[in-house]
Amino acid sequence: MAEHPVYDVIIVGAGSMGMSAGYHLARRGVRTLLIDAFDPPHTEGSHHGETRLIRHAYSGDPAYIDLALRAQVLWEEAEAESGTELLVPSGVLNLADSGVYSFAGRLVEAQKRKVRAEQLDADEIRHRWPALNLPESFEAMYEPDAGYLYSERCITAYRQLALAHGAELLTNTPVLNVTAREGSVTVHTKNGEYHGAAAVLSAGAWFKSLSPFVSLPIKAVRKVVGWFGSTPDFEAGKFPGFTLGGEEGGFYGFPSIGGAGLKIGRHDTGEEWRPGEPLAPFGSLESDEGDLRRVLEAYMPGAAGKLLKGSVCKYEHTPDEDFIIDRHPEYSNVLLAGGFSGHGFKFSSVVGEILADLAVQGNTRQNIAPFALSRFNTGPDQPQPKPILEEIE
């Protein structure tokens, strides 16, 4: 077998985080190899389905707001460099039953960091968006500067830019194993071994396939989204991206883009999935369409038309729904990025930058302390699951 060249960094998993990291590394002149089991963008991970929300008013650790603001800047830069529309500033309307969830914490953090966010009561919401059918108990936090990203376009743009800067990409190449020592990493694939000084592991819902080299507290779950026939009130340009939390659970969605229908998904619940298992297609469970339709009929009746399309994807949850961005517990030259828990895509531009920072200079200006793997050590301070409405998309 021919000897493969030695790379500075090998990236295992070229989805949203991995492809972004590949771009940020290659543009700095780092010899970079990306390896993916499929051909990104693809439908075997967490990045397909056309759109993802990008918003900035997060609760919890302030690091999220800082990352979201930096991510926005980097998406705009990628859009300019690629010449492709990636981001639509549609605004995002966060709706919730006040008996279930309060936006107070997020509004306070937004004000501290000068993120524009408006608090609206049910009357104000209905006045601005008359097609919504909301009871008096509902309130909203509207982010006028937020919007949505075209997810597959984002992956494609970073792929093209990474390759243009000299990165290499191996597609349809499953990784069988990873071995490492300080200063050296070997990635074993069905097509042979690849050697690098360092590695980034960003395998998403497929992290369990890298065991026993790394074992992370990540659970992959099956998720569904559906596109429903809707009235003109819900067309892009008239209706924003949205999240919705109530007794029914936590949901998120997008306006009808080009007549495709309003898109809606559920953030909480989901059937556990493991690498190698079949992923049941949309419609296999009554709840696939049923949960989505019940919410639309209750709150957005004009968007509860015929199901136009359904899709399935995967979330990769950590126990507390916060990310993992850290070094391997045994090998400092192996970086880990996973557990993005259904709300991580918007951050992939800045996560890629962070991984490049760590690989090249050993540190990053971003605060990644909340994403340390050590927080999952057993003990009284072990993180607890968040409420299902805490962070959506």
Side-chain angles (χ1 to χ4, degrees):
M1 181 180 296
E3 182 178 348
H4 293 292
V6 175
Y7 297 90
D8 295 323
V9 179
I10 299 176
I11 298 172
V12 176
S16 53
M17 309 301 166
M19 199 68 81
S20 172
Y23 160 72
H24 284 287
L25 285 164
R27 74 183 298 217
R28 301 183 195 194
V30 176
R31 292 175 298 170
T32 305
L33 173 66
L34 297 116
I35 303 177
D36 199 272
F38 306 99
D39 190 0
H42 52 71
T43 60
E44 299 295 335
S46 305
H47 61 250
H48 67 285
E50 300 175 4
T51 48
R52 294 292 186 278
L53 294 179
I54 179 165
R55 52 188 182 77
H56 315 107
Y58 262 68
S59 60
D61 198 288
Y64 277 115
I65 294 181
D66 296 336
L67 291 178
L69 293 172
R70 177 60 179 164
Q72 175 95 15
V73 171
L74 292 173
W75 286 124
E76 292 170 354
E77 290 180 1
E79 191 173 59
E81 187 175 354
S82 66
T84 303
E85 183 186 34
L86 304 178
L87 190 156
V88 177
S90 66
V92 172
L93 179 65
N94 302 279
L95 301 160
D97 187 326
S98 58
V100 174
Y101 182 78
S102 170
F103 294 111
R106 286 162 71 173
L107 287 161
V108 168
E109 292 298 331
Q111 185 176 21
K112 287 180 182 178
R113 281 173 166 66
K114 296 181 171 51
V115 172
R116 289 205 300 161
E118 305 172 43
Q119 186 173 15
L120 307 175
D121 62 23
D123 286 339
E124 291 171 311
I125 299 166
R126 289 189 294 254
H127 176 71
R128 294 200 196 185
W129 297 280
L132 294 175
N133 179 38
L134 300 177
E136 291 301 319
S137 60
F138 266 66
E139 61 182 14
M141 179 184 69
Y142 178 60
E143 299 179 64
D145 299 326
Y148 53 87
L149 296 156
Y150 290 113
S151 51
E152 286 97 341
R153 288 189 198 176
C154 291
I155 303 294
T156 299
Y158 271 144
R159 173 176 174 160
Q160 293 172 344
L161 293 173
L163 296 179
H165 284 287
E168 296 179 36
L169 171 64
L170 290 178
T171 61
N172 302 308
T173 305
V175 170
L176 306 177
N177 190 22
V178 179
T179 55
R181 54 186 174 85
E182 287 304 320
S184 176
V185 178
T186 300
V187 179
H188 308 262
T189 79
K190 68 172 186 177
N191 298 329
E193 298 179 352
Y194 298 87
H195 307 283
V200 172
L201 307 185
S202 52
W206 295 81
F207 252 110
K208 286 189 182 300
S209 66
L210 299 181
S211 179
F213 178 74
V214 63
S215 180
L216 301 180
I218 292 175
K219 180 177 75 172
V221 297
R222 172 185 179 270
K223 305 298 294 185
V224 301
V225 292
W227 287 256
F228 292 81
S230 51
T231 65
D233 297 303
F234 295 96
E235 289 179 358
K238 296 181 180 179
F239 196 71
F242 67 91
T243 68
L244 189 151
E247 295 290 349
E248 301 86 352
F251 297 80
Y252 63 92
F254 306 82
S256 176
I257 301 169
L262 180 135
K263 174 187 170 185
I264 185 171
R266 183 167 183 174
H267 177 71
D268 57 309
T269 71
E271 303 292 321
E272 186 170 359
W273 174 87
R274 294 177 179 274
E277 294 180 349
L279 190 66
F282 185 96
S284 299
L285 303 175
E286 184 278 333
S287 58
D288 288 352
E289 179 179 351
D291 285 357
L292 307 180
R293 182 172 291 284
R294 276 188 285 274
V295 168
L296 293 176
E297 289 176 344
Y299 305 116
M300 304 178 185
K306 178 183 177 181
L307 175 69
L308 303 177
K309 183 172 69 170
S311 181
V312 294
C313 63
K314 307 174 187 78
Y315 271 21
E316 33 144 353
H317 280 298
T318 61
D320 58 6
E321 296 199 12
D322 287 325
F323 310 154
I324 296 171
I325 306 173
D326 205 345
R327 296 186 184 276
H328 191 287
E330 296 180 44
Y331 307 104
S332 62
N333 57 330
V334 177
L335 300 173
L336 309 173
F340 292 98
S341 300
H343 65 112
F345 186 92
K346 68 179 75 65
F347 298 102
S348 56
S349 59
V350 68
V351 170
E353 182 182 58
I354 289 168
L355 294 169
D357 289 343
L358 295 174
V360 172
Q361 61 202 40
N363 57 66
T364 177
R365 63 182 177 178
Q366 302 297 334
N367 176 19
I368 59 171
F371 313 127
L373 182 58
S374 60
R375 74 185 190 273
F376 295 107
N377 294 339
T378 57
D381 296 327
Q382 189 170 7
Q384 299 299 311
K386 292 184 178 180
I388 60 173
L389 305 180
E390 188 66 17
E391 302 299 358
I392 302 176
E393 260 280 332

